[in-house]
Amino acid sequence: MCHQLLYNQHGQAALHRHAGADIRQVKREDAGAVLADTLRQFLFDLQVEDGLGAVGYSKDDVPALVKGTIPQV
């Protein structure tokens, strides 16, 4: 679920490592967004549900999820 966010933020750092999208005509700073869109389309084509709700979470779970991520920072 977080791959799109990571690609959006860090895809430009190692363009040669990412596959599945033609980035030859893309500006370096836009490569992460292109890769994220490619992954999003791939998952859509596979009919993979997205979002926290797809894995059983609701808005009520967000505070606990955030609290759980803080030690990882």
Side-chain angles (χ1 to χ4, degrees), residues 2-15 17-19 28-40:
C2 65
H3 287 91
Q4 293 105 335
L5 176 63
L6 291 173
Y7 285 148
N8 275 329
Q9 294 180 352
H10 304 291
Q12 64 189 10
L15 299 178
R17 294 184 183 173
H18 303 292
R28 186 174 187 87
E29 60 269 14
D30 295 334
V34 171
L35 291 166
D37 289 345
T38 300
L39 177 60
R40 199 172 292 114

Side-chain angles (χ1 to χ4, degrees), residues 4-71:
Q4 293 105 335
L5 176 63
L6 291 173
Y7 285 148
N8 275 329
Q9 294 180 352
H10 304 291
Q12 64 189 10
L15 299 178
H16 61 285
R17 294 184 183 173
H18 303 292
D22 183 0
I23 56 171
R24 293 177 291 183
Q25 302 295 324
V26 176
K27 294 179 185 175
R28 186 174 187 87
E29 60 269 14
D30 295 334
V34 171
L35 291 166
D37 289 345
T38 300
L39 177 60
R40 199 172 292 114
Q41 185 62 51
F42 175 73
L43 294 173
F44 178 80
D45 291 346
L46 291 175
Q47 298 179 349
V48 174
E49 294 186 40
D50 65 344
L52 292 175
V55 290
Y57 291 103
S58 72
K59 288 184 179 184
D60 295 335
D61 298 305
V62 171
L65 292 168
V66 170
K67 184 178 179 182
T69 63
I70 292 171

